[in-house]
Amino acid sequence: MTQSMMSDGSSTKRSLPIAGRKNETLDVDAELARFEAEERARLGLAQEEQWVEKMANLMFTKKEKGKITLLIGGLTMAHDYLISGAFRSLGYNVVPLDAPDYEALRAGKEFGNRGQCNPTYFTVGNLIKFLIHVRDKGGLTSQEVVENFVFLTAGACGPCRFGMYVTEYRKALRDAGFDGFRVMLFQQQGGLSQATGEESGLELNPPFFIGLLKGLLAGDVINGIAYRLRPYEVVPGSTDAAVAEAKKICYDALYEKRSILRALHQSRKIFEKVEVDRTIPKPKVAIIGEFWAMTTEGDGNYQLQRFLEAEGAECDIQFVTAWLLYNVWEVRFDTKNRTLLRGKDHGKLGLAGTSDFHAFKMKASLWAADKAIRVAFQTFANVGGFYDYHLPDMDEVADVAAPFYNNDLRGGEGHMEVGKLILNVVKSKATMTLSVKPFGCMPSSSVSDGVQSLITERYPGTIYCAVETSGDGAVNFQSRVQMYLFKARQAAVEDFERALEKTGLTLEKLRAFLKANPKYAAGLHKSPHYAGSTPADLVHEVAEVVDLTPAKRTLFLAQKKAKGVLDALTNAAKDAPANTRSAAVLFAQAAAELAEIAKEKAPGMAESAVNAARDRLAKVLPFTAQRPVHEPVVAAAE
Amino acid sequence: MTEAGIPNPRTDPVFIGIDVGSTTVKAVVVDPVTHQILWSDYQRHQTKQAEKVMELLVAIGNAFPNLPPGSIRSFITGSGASPLVAPIGAKFVQEVNAVTLAVERLHPDVGSVVELGGQDAKIIIFKEAKNDKGESTGKTAIASMNDKCASGTGATIDKCFLKVGMPSEDAMKLHFDDSKLHHVAAKCGVFAETDIVNLVKGGIPKDEVLNSLADAIVLQNLSVLTRGNTLKPRVLLLGGPNTYLPFLRECWQQRIPETWRDRGYDYPKDVPVEELIFVPPNADLYAAFGAAVYGIADGGDAGRFNGIESLKDFITNGRRARLGEQAGPPLSANEGETKTFVDMYRIPKFVAPALAAGTTVRGVIGLDGGSTSSKAVVIGEDGEILAKAYQLSKGNPLQDTKELVRKLVDHFEAQGTTLEVLGFGATGYAADVLDETVLADVNIVETVAHMMSAVHFFGDIDVVCDIGGQDIKVLFMKNGDIQNFKLSNSCSAGNGMLLQAMADQFGIPVTEYADTAFQAQLAPKFSYGCAVFLDSDRVNFQKEGYQKEELLAGLAQVLPKNVWQYVVQIPRLASLGRKFVLQGGTQYNLAAVKAQVDYIKQRVPDAEVFVHPHTGEAGAIGAAIETLRRYKRTGKSRFIGLKGVLDLEYTATTNDSTTCHFCPNECKRTFIDAKRPDGTSSRYISGFSCEKGTVESKDAMLALMAERKKTAAAFPNLVDYEANRAFVHLYDAAPLPPAGTPVEDVKVVKSLFRVKHEKVTRGFRRSSAEAAQRRKSLRVGIPRVLNVYSTAPFFRAYFETLGLGRSNIVFSDQTSEEMWVEGGKYGSIDPCFPSKVAQAHVHNLLFHHHEPERKRQLNYIFFPILTHVNNFVKDTQDNASCPIVAGTPDVMKAAFTKEVDFFAQRGIEYLAPALSFQEPILLAKRMFETFGARLDITEDENDHACREAWHAFDAFDKDLQEKGRAILETVEAEDRIAILVLNRPYHSDPGLNHGIPEEFQVLGYPILSIRSIPKDREYLDRYYKDELERGVIKTPLELNHVWPENYSVNSAQKVWGAAFAAHHPNVAVLDLSSFKCGHDAPTYGLIADILQTAKTPSAALHDLDANKPGGSIKIRVKTYAHSLRLQQERLEDLTGKKRELARRIDEKRLELLRLRQAQLESVKQKDAALEQSIAELAEKVRAYSAPPPAAEPAMGIMKLGKKMPDGSIQRIGAVADGAAPNTQKPTTEVAASAAE
């Protein structure tokens, strides 16, 4: 029909007066469109609306920064508190949320989806609980709460439900009346600077991550010391008092941008004053399992750590630092597996789009990251007085787990639960291993536990307790733990008595020695690892020196130290030729390759490029500059 | 044991062991030297643990009058022990440790222990620990307890006993007989109870019911609690139920040796089973005795008995001191508030209207045959309720009906009036049997009945909340009809039974519940959820010292949370509306009503909350009203009449002859044969689990199957089709190229800093002819589970290309109940059913498909760890499988190699490589690493096979999408509805989806799977026109604007499917999800938002598990069918409106053109083209007035068509019978369902 009018060129061009309205054009199409819209509305034929997520990826601007309060939470209380100090020093208003409690769980259940895992209910509920409190008790409107608060949390991209927390946060926030509330994420594997846009008030830049890292490391060290002291403290409550003091010192240092190491050093002096008695046999319980359940200190795990200590155990906890190492391991492992493929796959882990140098760069930077984390941790630990702690070797954990739990399987702790249990047993690192997981944890309850049943079968005598926190009634949970703890306590006593028997030491003699040599009885003193529990370690350590005169003892210790150094030197010397050779090969290979690469990239400028590259390389591998470029490639020594 | 009343003159020290359990308190006095039990007692504590313990301590004091103070040591164990530790001065001993110690002392030769307690079940297995040299280093006890679930515990047995109604003295004489067992789901105490009720109703003899229960409980414990371990002989049975119920004991004695035989465990066959598996004397006392043994072994000074004074003090003062701060507010702040509330909400007592003697009253009967009780009403022609009758169910619906009708007739006769029945309507569980036997005029589903009743009394309402004995129904209304609904059939959380059971616990009649609860000054805060969890909360609270009125108040307060947060899950109540009607028998309990009203008003301040005036009979009234309506419209009734009912004779038969043999399920059916007074008879069959059970003979069976097949053919079910198609040969692969054929390859050159890829061309490498020959006979078994459902075409094509025989690629069978029962006892964990069931599939391969005796041995079981699978959604963050789905192959490896290496035993190699369908190159490499040497193939052959496998994958997709498109275009052209099943691929397994899609298929709705939706833009774009134009999306296959956290591939696809349904007017949604599904749970709210925003009809079943929730499925299907019918009407209206719109536009255009013509004429001009248009348009407008052609009946046979470019639908070929066509030549017919 439009056709027929268009064909009539002359008439459409002319203005036609509408009857009754002079000098107006009759535009049939416009008139019809208007009519159609009216009719559609009348008949109820309007287009159905479609759901669009409007709360995703919200941010706040630099302008808003001043009035925004950042809410953080999710780690231990020490961590959250210290990190809040670090962030405040960057000009943010920060409030760390309390450890989630049952009230949080109830809020999570009211506003969350059904069938969630417990950390979701607890953490989501914790935020909602806080916001409702701010609104109802603080006299703010919902809109003001939305405008003035932002929640900052770690994000992930699956494969377990952890990556979907944000979906839950949004649903719960919306249903609780906080539509538009901003939840901001930083990715765990995103590296030291993540794109947040120029206008973003939250800058995920190196200072942000360095502050975060300092808080994490200091938190780990303080927690580590506390768990070593508390079970053996002579004056109940003295450890907690020291912890509170130390946390404050470190917080202030972070907030005032002073040296955190100095603060840790001051903390050490405080911890040194806590008196302990390590002559009472206590089982060492390694807590593994799902990250949140084993980390939280609130109702989320029925205050598991405190419960274990009250039941007469020493807790061996996992550190956030170890989690960082696991993240580094993941990337390293995945890259390694794909480096030599005959092509580059797409997909999240595929190497499509990366350069030929990608694998090397990744390997180097991840190696550096791993070492940097370890060095930083050891520095913090030594300064703070957390002596002789060995962060897990991630490759070892992966290797022992691999026959049972495929290293490609991810989610939660991945293969680590299985790997850690095996290592705990094989290396008698703990009297008992307790794997705690929240109700509904996918990787832990439904995969790891299934595999662990085989591990306990392969290693009979293992005291291994896997337990789920349902959030309902602590009785069953604690009863289950007690069931295993009973055996662990027996084992710890046997362990201790065996140590005494084996070394010929008696309890009286041990105590007398400790009285005479307070260094060995000091709270921060760490006996070398002999058996699964600390008191037994102490017996072994003391037995070696108990009958020596002070002078001989000094000599003995010096000799022992010297032997250690000697062993290292001997090994070094033994390995030296091989090391030298491989260094030479490495260098030669490197040089030849550089030349080749340079030629390929800019044939005319090969020489200068090689020199430039060599200079750059010299900073990484000091021996490069000493050799000529043209030496032929030596065949690889292997 | 000491005789009561004779004091023991002993003065030597004694050790007391006390066991405070959930229902009983046990105490023993033990001689520390001889370990002899000097005294013992066992008492039910009726929740007064502390008092009962004191009573026993006093009794011990009396029995040993000469014991010097300080010579008594006390050790306490049990779930209720911890608060009593300090008052008594006892030391706490964990229960399992106590039992273990007792067993080790009394029975050093026992290999395992099974203890069933009131609230817990424990299994202890003693394992010999060995050192490196294989020498024994003593025994370790591996113990497992039920964590938080009441399945398989004494509580379940107690609950079910009440339902069966067998006196305990009879139960103690009963013997186990496995010849007549019926299905009882012991997975959850609540499910079990429902099944028991149904069996009792179905007329199954009590002994059979109890035997079935015992069997279910034993199997439940064997499959779950053993955590995959084998119980080692001798097996000690402990705990109340094992002690008192011989049939339970005998059931263990039968089932445990079966597991030994199944697993090839070498047990002493020459020892009588009664000695291998036995209940010791004093089985109740083991925990108490063990506690004392612990104390004796402990040495030390712990557990020095305080005397009873501090316990007394604890009972009177200590307990309650600390409650105040944790507790929540009471139901009412004060008596005034209570009184006001009660005055407002008390339901007036029904007084039947007085009738003049001698008159004849005309009315209809409505009957609601409920789960625990049945009700009937008579409604007069004007809608007035003339009489009511109530009947506690006696287990047989016909008997109940007869008695109800008798009561009604008596009511009228007593007044000297006669009732003339105009019609009879039924609803509830009994509706079907009444439909059949008394020829009811109306048989409607409960939800619809409740809705009609509520609307009858309150008119335009928004929400109807019906809380009955066993279920909760919440109906959301719009324009006087059900718009949506939520049901809680499979879970008892928050229903009337819960309150009833709790009142029973305290010995309070339920009628006094409210009065008691209103007295509370504070109330404990229960966490809402499963009834069983609530009960464990109750135990805790009681222990903390809460009194019964407080517990009852707290429980009433948790009811609305269960209803609105657990069942309904819509936190913003205000979004539902403001007029709420509460009905169902529970509303007689004003404590519950108050909690509900307060809860609703707190969230919807201007809410009006009504309680139905006939709250218990709402269903019956609804049925009556519908009957009346129908009578008024038709004036007819087919009802057999009152006398007919009263004289109805029936027999219920359940025996071998009624067993259904049409499938291996062997359902034990009950035939209820009713003989009407006029001589006609009818048979109603109950107790079957599928429609096959509705027929008696083979001929009838064949007729039924043919009928179903026809229906199924007419209404294609692509979910079912996909589930079958994925595993059959569907693609003819290109053969392996001859050796030397030029191939492009990439050479990888690795140097220190970089990895270079150099292209090379070289000849194709082939393996030897012998290798190829050998491959022909190799057999690979693949479990038909999890994401194998979406990737099987790839693997089949891979192996086929390499020359394995088609029949040598063996998939395990589809999941079935027998398969699960047989193979479901190996796992040590309890994840979602889809991953748990993998063990049954591996078992199925090992025990059924590995047949070396027939030269059909399996060489490999291939169960890949699929970390990532393919996705059609374009913008996802990742396409990862759920971690459980991915990890299950390793769990299976652990389960089947733990005690015995079942693979090695059979010479089978178990292969579980990690594969990612996101990375084809890595995938090919991993396949080669796995199969290169084993199949003796070259890497070139491997790569070729992988390429072909990808083609097969595509062919599978293409075939499905073609069929999906045919369905979609047909329903759109015919204003009909197709149901899109939103599920994870493995829910296509009929054993997992329990045939739910089929229920809808039979109702006449074609079923689409997500995979079958066409994904080409040519098809999709028009539904997304608006968003594409606005630039919200670039392609319809995007998801980030709806859900950014879309890394889980199967969840992302479900959400995308929901969004597609929201865009397509003719698609309704059936959302299926498994209990415990961690990747689905976060999307529940999201999917609901997507569908509600677009007003797409949907039904969701989110808690699918091993058990088929028959009743639950039925009521959902029926109610959802009601909604779908409404949607169909809406669609028809929509077409009508669209037609009207077109007509109105044409008329308007005509009007405008005529106006223009007039304008032209006014300036003396003429336009021939314009006049031509006017003439054509006028003709068209005239045609609108002609009567429209008769529409095809909407529910007729569905003929699939393909949309032609001109918009017409061209019918396509007949429907194939099951045989899957080869996609090399794509066909468009849709294969009928299953039967391969």
Side-chain angles (χ1 to χ4, degrees), chain B residues 869-891:
Chain B
V869 293
N870 251 19
N871 201 353
F872 58 82
V873 183
K874 293 291 176 216
D875 59 344
T876 52
Q877 297 183 5
D878 195 5
N879 293 313
S881 300
C882 142
I884 302 177
V885 167
T888 296
D890 267 351
V891 177

Side-chain angles (χ1 to χ4, degrees), chain B residues 797-1124:
Chain B
Y798 175 83
F799 291 121
E800 283 183 4
T801 310
L802 292 171
L804 273 74
R806 277 184 199 176
S807 61
N808 286 347
I809 301 151
V810 184
F811 291 96
S812 56
D813 303 333
Q814 282 184 337
T815 306
S816 66
E817 194 172 341
E818 311 83 71
M819 184 201 231
W820 171 239
V821 169
E822 192 189 354
K825 296 168 209 147
Y826 294 82
S828 55
I829 47 168
D830 193 21
C832 62
F833 185 58
S835 51
K836 202 161 51 178
V837 82
Q839 54 183 306
H841 284 263
V842 174
H843 180 273
N844 178 261
L845 287 171
L846 283 171
F847 288 82
H848 295 289
H849 291 287
H850 174 70
E851 304 165 289
E853 65 286 353
R854 295 177 55 206
K855 299 224 156 138
R856 292 164 65 80
Q857 79 287 358
L858 287 177
N859 302 83
Y860 305 106
I861 287 181
F862 176 55
F863 192 0
I865 289 177
L866 298 170
T867 60
H868 294 77
V869 293
N870 251 19
N871 201 353
F872 58 82
V873 183
K874 293 291 176 216
D875 59 344
T876 52
Q877 297 183 5
D878 195 5
N879 293 313
S881 300
C882 142
I884 302 177
V885 167
T888 296
D890 267 351
V891 177
M892 289 304 119
K893 183 165 76 182
F896 285 91
T897 56
K898 193 167 78 165
E899 290 178 339
V900 178
D901 189 334
F902 287 91
F903 305 116
Q905 218 176 39
R906 288 166 177 71
I908 299 174
E909 207 178 341
Y910 182 82
L911 303 170
L915 302 177
S916 162
F917 273 72
Q918 287 294 294
E919 299 176 70
I921 304 169
L922 181 66
L923 172 63
K925 181 175 170 244
R926 292 263 165 94
M927 288 301 279
F928 184 63
E929 283 168 359
T930 311
F931 290 107
R934 292 187 174 91
L935 301 185
D936 203 353
I937 49 172
T938 66
E939 188 154 17
D940 285 351
E941 288 170 329
N942 175 75
D943 293 357
H944 176 81
C946 284
R947 268 191 301 276
E948 288 304 306
W950 281 107
H951 291 321
F953 208 64
D954 294 342
F956 179 50
D957 268 341
K958 189 160 169 267
D959 174 42
L960 275 165
Q961 291 186 25
E962 264 169 18
K963 293 183 168 51
R965 184 166 182 160
I967 291 179
L968 283 164
E969 286 177 350
T970 308
V971 292
E972 196 171 357
E974 295 179 358
D975 286 342
R976 298 167 69 158
I977 294 174
I979 294 178
L980 169 63
V981 181
L982 292 185
N983 59 3
R984 307 180 91 73
Y986 39 88
H987 286 116
S988 305
D989 183 343
L992 260 56
N993 69 32
H994 299 305
I996 298 165
E998 205 176 313
E999 299 285 334
F1000 288 98
Q1001 182 190 8
V1002 171
L1003 289 177
Y1005 299 100
I1007 310 292
L1008 293 165
S1009 68
I1010 298 175
R1011 200 163 186 150
S1012 70
I1013 300 169
K1015 309 295 185 320
D1016 52 302
R1017 298 201 49 181
E1018 179 246 323
Y1019 177 79
L1020 285 176
D1021 276 12
R1022 67 193 179 103
Y1023 298 101
Y1024 292 79
K1025 211 170 133 223
D1026 181 49
E1027 284 142 297
L1028 285 165
E1029 276 170 7
R1030 284 191 292 119
V1032 180
I1033 50 173
K1034 289 195 196 66
T1035 141
L1037 296 173
E1038 275 176 24
L1039 202 53
N1040 271 323
H1041 63 298
V1042 173
W1043 188 41
E1045 294 79 33
N1046 47 28
Y1047 59 80
S1048 164
V1049 54
N1050 293 334
S1051 297
Q1053 290 179 347
K1054 280 185 74 170
V1055 175
W1056 186 88
F1060 171 77
H1063 283 84
H1064 198 300
N1066 300 74
V1067 175
V1069 163
L1070 176 64
D1071 180 358
L1072 301 181
S1073 178
S1074 282
F1075 175 58
K1076 280 191 170 180
C1077 181
H1079 269 191
D1080 274 356
T1083 67
Y1084 291 162
L1086 179 67
I1087 287 178
D1089 281 340
I1090 292 170
L1091 296 173
Q1092 276 163 18
T1093 309
K1095 303 192 180 69
T1096 304
S1098 71
L1101 281 103
H1102 283 166
D1103 291 323
L1104 295 179
D1105 209 339
N1107 309 298
K1108 176 173 179 163
S1112 166
I1113 291 175
K1114 199 163 153 195
I1115 191 168
R1116 274 157 217 263
V1117 169
K1118 278 183 159 185
T1119 314
Y1120 188 39
H1122 175 85
S1123 308
L1124 287 174

Side-chain angles (χ1 to χ4, degrees), chain B residues 647-726:
Chain B
D647 296 344
L648 190 72
E649 287 173 27
Y650 68 90
T651 48
T653 325
T654 311
N655 55 31
D656 286 346
S657 72
T658 65
T659 303
C660 175
H661 300 296
F662 297 125
C663 83
N665 273 354
E666 300 275 318
C667 289
K668 306 279 192 291
R669 299 176 299 177
T670 300
F671 288 4
I672 300 175
D673 288 305
K675 204 165 144 212
R676 300 180 201 102
D678 68 356
T680 58
S681 68
S682 77
R683 165 171 284 182
Y684 179 77
I685 304 176
S686 77
F688 52 87
S689 58
C690 71
E691 290 208 4
K692 291 173 197 157
T694 57
V695 287
E696 301 154 40
S697 69
K698 185 136 194 201
D699 286 345
M701 163 75 188
L702 288 175
L704 181 85
M705 286 307 286
E707 191 57 36
R708 269 183 83 89
K709 219 167 184 174
K710 218 167 95 188
T711 329
F715 305 106
N717 179 344
L718 290 185
V719 166
D720 190 62
Y721 175 74
E722 182 181 320
N724 287 295
R725 184 98 178 112

Side-chain angles (χ1 to χ4, degrees), chain A residues 8 14 17 114 159-160 457, chain B residues 127 569 1047 1079 1159 1165 1167:
Chain A
D8 186 18
R14 282 183 58 176
R114 185 166 53 156
C160 94
E457 187 77 24
Chain B
K127 289 212 167 179
Q569 289 193 50
Y1047 59 80
H1079 269 191
Q1159 285 175 331
Q1165 279 189 1
D1167 180 343

